[in-house]
Amino acid sequence: MTDLERIDNLPTDTLAGYRIRTGRPLPFGVSSVPGGLNFSVYTSAGTSCTLVLFSRSKGSLLAEIKIPDHYRIGDVYSIVVYDLDHEDVEYGFKIDGPYMPEVGHRFNPDNILMDPYARVISGRDEWGVEPDWNKQYQYRSRVAFDDFDWEGDSPLEINDADLIIYELHVRSFTKSESSGVKFKGTYAGIAEKIPYLQSLGVNAVELMPVFEFDEFENSKTHPDTSEKLYNYWGYSTVAFFAPKAGFAASGRFGMQVDEFKQLVKQLHKAGIEVILDVVFNHTAEGNERGPSISFKGLDNKIYYMLTPEGYYFNFSGTGNTLNCNNPVVRNLVLDCLRYWASEYHIDGFRFDLASILGRDPWGAPLNNPPLLESLAFDPILSSCKLIAEAWDAGGLYQVGTFPAFGRWSEWNGKYRDTARRYLKGDQGQVGEMAQRVQGSPDLYQWNGRSPATSINFITCHDGFTLADLVSFNEKHNKANGENNRDGGDDNYSWNCGAEGSTDNSNILALRIRQCMNALSMLMTSRGTPMLLMGDEFGRSQHGNNNAYCIDSPVSWVDWALLESNRALFEYTQALIHFRQQHPCLRIKSLLKNQPTSQFSTGISGFPAQKDGSAAIRAANSPISASLASLQGIG
């Protein structure tokens, strides 16, 4: 008896020189099938779809395959193409359809579009290397291989109440020569610094955006210094499923997936969780004047929130707003986070401008946002931390009222502002600060949420570093090329007597004691503390409170400060150890009927004064009196 061939694995047609057959509509994106690759893409209003294939090694077009209409199922085009070199092929789509911006349609059959589900993107393989702007297709989708050996690794699932988060930018953390690592400014560079993170005592790193973005988006040259200014922070996503190649030492070889997974695995071995800062509120496509990279050309009306005239709602402040509570977009977000949780073993996600995710297609806040609820109860994400930046650029501020569904934590902006004002000696802050120290029961006890709901921070990437908070009264952002107009003006900072650099020993000593007081408040407050990279040894951005475009020593961590400010580092170590040894600081629930004014006398017992005298007395209080002789930050 002869063996029977499986007919459903065999090609049935030939187009453009390639053997093909009808594909499987799910999963979206590209996936391997016996002998070939399955491509699947969604478009509800597109009238035809062409698969465009390139050779990565030759940089040339391989073929354009118009997917037969009978391969379409519902709103999904899918096709299997055989005999492709999985490691060499790059692909994209051309979608035909109406161009009617006034009703939301922006189809252009000449545009080659990136697959929104692409797991790997090429085109920006090395950081800061000028791309070939003549290429029609700037961001080329590639095939990822799920062959990484995790060696039994899994997410750590550290209890929320026990977390100590360390926020860092992948490139800034190790780019400086002073970092001493081999692979500077990369995922591998962070891995080299894991012993340092362990010695500090943190057990979670929160990585600023690592989804593929384009550092050349809106890049420019500083008019005075001729310095190149980039999209440095990356809060403008190009591809949600792909790690940024330019952050990988191996990115030019297309190995960014493995390098990032290796970082996660090594951090887990060290007992450190990985939280990703994710941006689902907008994309890199901007408004009607922006490029058509993916979503605009696939189904603009579905993916974006549009006005009745076809313009883009701009609740993100960056040109567009994703229509996240549309079921198709909601599924994309869920698929994305499930992928990172399952394939990269990510422990949690911090959502940039998360209040946008709770708006309906016309911008009104929803009482029961479907996306936020879906994320809270998703079975794959059930052990992931979900952290909201509980406000947006459209004026919606939800700290304490964010739709939590029993799962969401929040960046507590009220903690930041109160701690800063108390530290500098503003009047009327004692009662407010007492609430923040207790875990903000005024915000969270009323709805039964845990103190760990409150992510407590005094500094983060957006604003002054801790050293600058005690060294500058005003922002100094001229390096950004915007005449110091950008960045916040409500810094609640105090320069301790001199603006910026000084050689006054009294001011320097006061500054470092103020840093210690700030860190003491942070680490002895109930809730989840978050520390900004380098604050533990006095990192400065020289008064720049919005270094979003600066790829220079202004943004990079200066590791030489670890030695010159060793006492501050050791003090931070001791505080973290103190917190870990005292369960009363890490309670899991706010006690019912517990007085919320038990610390009403204030942290150091001094009434606040306008002239900062309370802060000066606090700086000389018992908690830091023995440190009065330390050298300042300068």
Side-chain angles (χ1 to χ4, degrees):
M1 182 176 178
T2 60
D3 292 334
L4 296 177
E5 292 185 289
R6 284 195 57 180
I7 297 175
D8 60 351
N9 283 340
L10 298 178
T12 57
D13 298 293
T14 300
L15 280 177
Y18 285 89
R19 300 185 302 151
I20 64 172
R21 69 171 294 121
T22 185
R24 299 185 178 96
L26 292 175
F28 289 151
V30 64
S31 53
S32 297
V33 297
L37 291 172
N38 185 86
F39 299 88
S40 177
V41 65
Y42 162 85
T43 176
S44 66
T47 56
S48 71
C49 177
T50 298
L51 174 67
V52 187
L53 301 174
F54 296 89
S55 167
R56 174 176 168 82
S57 60
K58 298 177 181 178
S60 59
L61 178 70
L62 292 176
E64 293 192 10
I65 304 172
K66 185 174 181 180
I67 301 177
D69 287 341
H70 64 279
Y71 283 20
R72 178 172 182 160
I73 299 177
D75 293 330
V76 179
Y77 286 95
S78 57
I79 185 173
V80 174
V81 182
Y82 293 87
D83 306 320
L84 293 173
D85 183 343
H86 294 197
E87 294 190 10
D88 188 56
V89 72
E90 299 174 329
Y91 70 97
F93 300 103
K94 289 182 175 181
I95 306 292
D96 201 356
Y99 185 80
M100 301 171 63
E102 67 277 6
V103 296
H105 297 315
R106 292 181 174 269
F107 294 102
N108 183 342
D110 295 326
N111 280 351
I112 304 174
L113 303 169
M114 185 198 75
D115 177 6
Y117 277 78
R119 270 60 169 174
V120 184
I121 299 296
S122 61
R124 300 294 184 272
D125 301 331
E126 295 184 70
W127 177 274
V129 175
E130 192 85 19
D132 181 356
W133 297 108
N134 295 318
K135 283 187 177 181
Q136 179 188 9
Y137 187 27
Q138 289 288 314
Y139 313 103
R140 301 190 177 195
S141 309
R142 292 188 56 215
V143 181
F145 299 95
D146 298 327
D147 56 357
F148 183 77
D149 183 6
W150 281 101
E151 299 180 296
D153 175 81
S154 63
L156 297 182
E157 300 186 19
I158 297 172
N159 190 287
D160 289 5
D162 297 326
L163 280 182
I164 299 174
I165 301 172
Y166 189 84
E167 188 195 26
L168 65 88
H169 183 279
V170 171
R171 184 168 172 84
S172 290
F173 191 56
T174 62
K175 179 56 183 172
S176 171
E177 285 293 328
S178 63
S179 68
V181 304
K182 181 178 180 181
F183 301 106
K184 295 175 178 61
T186 66
Y187 306 129
I190 295 175
E192 293 181 72
K193 284 292 186 182
I194 289 176
Y196 168 80
L197 295 170
Q198 284 182 294
S199 72
L200 178 60
V202 298
N203 57 12
V205 292
E206 182 173 305
L207 303 180
M208 289 172 64
V210 299
F211 292 178
E212 189 65 63
F213 65 90
D214 186 356
E215 65 268 26
F216 288 97
E217 181 191 349
N218 297 321
S219 61
K220 58 186 177 182
T221 300
H222 194 287
D224 299 323
T225 66
S226 298
E227 180 184 359
K228 187 76 171 182
L229 302 176
Y230 295 94
N231 168 27
Y232 187 67
W233 284 352
Y235 287 92
S236 190
T237 307
V238 167
F240 291 100
F241 291 78
K244 177 151 185 65
F247 282 164
S250 58
R252 64 186 185 277
F253 306 117
M255 295 297 293
Q256 58 266 35
V257 170
D258 281 5
E259 185 174 325
F260 189 76
K261 288 181 177 179
Q262 183 66 21
L263 170 62
V264 175
K265 184 169 73 172
Q266 289 182 258
L267 283 165
H268 282 175
K269 285 183 177 179
I272 299 172
E273 290 195 336
V274 180
I275 299 169
L276 299 186
D277 192 341
V278 295
V279 188
F280 289 108
N281 53 76
H282 71 282
T283 76
E285 293 188 302
N287 60 17
E288 56 275 359
R289 294 184 294 273
S292 183
I293 298 170
S294 178
F295 297 116
K296 277 185 180 178
L298 287 170
D299 218 323
N300 184 63
K301 192 172 183 178
I302 293 294
Y303 285 108
Y304 292 111
M305 295 169 59
L306 304 175
T307 70
E309 300 78 24
Y311 295 103
Y312 294 84
F313 279 116
N314 188 21
F315 297 111
S316 66
T318 58
N320 66 50
T321 307
L322 269 179
N323 189 15
C324 286
N325 285 300
N326 177 284
V328 172
V329 188
R330 184 166 73 242
N331 285 338
L332 179 138
V333 175
L334 284 165
D335 288 344
C336 173
L337 297 179
R338 290 165 179 162
Y339 175 73
W340 285 94
S342 60
E343 295 297 326
Y344 286 87
H345 296 193
I346 297 302
D347 302 276
F349 304 94
R350 178 265 186 190
F351 293 75
D352 181 64
L353 299 181
S355 290
I356 287 179
L357 309 184
R359 291 182 182 267
D360 70 16
W362 300 274
L366 293 161
N367 291 327
N368 195 42
L371 175 58
L372 301 181
E373 183 178 29
S374 296
L375 291 169
F377 295 107
D378 186 81
I380 295 174
L381 303 176
S382 62
S383 63
C384 283
K385 278 77 176 175
L386 302 177
I387 303 171
E389 184 181 37
W391 54 83
D392 65 24
L396 185 57
Y397 189 82
Q398 297 178 301
V399 172
T401 61
F402 189 82
F405 300 100
R407 286 274 282 116
W408 286 82
S409 300
E410 299 172 12
W411 266 28
N412 192 342
K414 292 186 177 181
Y415 182 97
R416 173 199 59 204
D417 295 345
T418 302
R420 288 183 172 200
R421 296 185 69 178
Y422 185 90
L423 184 69
K424 71 190 282 283
D426 282 359
Q427 283 186 323
Q429 299 304 306
V430 172
E432 182 85 0
M433 193 64 215
Q435 293 289 327
R436 305 299 150 243
V437 168
Q438 294 177 85
S440 296
D442 59 330
L443 300 178
Y444 303 116
Q445 186 173 9
W446 67 273
N447 55 9
R449 298 166 75 182
S450 163
T453 294
S454 176
I455 306 298
N456 298 332
F457 66 103
I458 297 175
T459 58
C460 65
H461 69 273
D462 191 4
F464 281 147
T465 66
L466 184 58
D468 289 351
L469 187 70
V470 300
S471 303
F472 295 91
N473 284 347
E474 308 291 340
K475 65 187 181 184
H476 296 265
N477 294 358
K478 290 185 178 179
N480 300 354
E482 299 181 42
N483 295 316
N484 209 40
R485 291 191 300 265
D486 64 300
D489 294 314
D490 51 346
N491 297 294
Y492 303 125
S493 61
W494 178 44
N495 64 19
C496 295
E499 187 73 357
S501 179
T502 181
D503 57 4
N504 185 305
S505 60
N506 290 329
I507 292 175
L508 293 175
L510 176 58
R511 285 177 179 176
I512 204 158
R513 292 199 301 274
Q514 283 289 76
C515 287
M516 291 175 172
N517 282 332
L519 292 166
S520 299
M521 288 191 292
L522 181 65
M523 291 300 168
T524 58
S525 294
R526 289 172 173 171
T528 301
M530 186 182 77
L531 187 67
L532 175 64
M533 63 176 183
D535 274 357
E536 68 275 19
F537 52 74
R539 170 178 167 256
S540 173
Q541 292 181 166
H542 311 295
N544 193 318
N545 74 349
N546 188 36
Y548 73 99
C549 58
I550 306 295
D551 181 20
S552 77
V554 171
S555 291
W556 304 341
V557 173
D558 180 2
W559 289 89
L561 293 169
L562 178 58
E563 290 308 316
S564 60
N565 288 321
R566 169 64 64 171
L568 179 60
F569 169 74
E570 292 177 351
Y571 188 79
T572 310
Q573 275 184 315
L575 283 171
I576 292 173
H577 180 73
F578 178 86
R579 181 179 183 85
Q580 292 168 337
Q581 295 302 310
H582 289 78
C584 66
L585 299 176
R586 297 177 282 109
I587 60 173
K588 299 178 182 179
S589 63
L590 291 162
L591 300 177
K592 291 184 178 180
N593 302 318
Q594 176 179 308
T596 57
S597 58
Q598 58 179 300
F599 301 115
S600 59
T601 57
I603 291 175
S604 56
F606 297 116
Q609 301 293 331
K610 266 188 176 180
D611 61 1
S613 58
I616 295 172
R617 286 195 291 269
N620 289 285
S621 66
I623 196 168
S624 56
S626 62
L627 303 164
S629 62
L630 293 176
Q631 294 299 310
I633 293 165

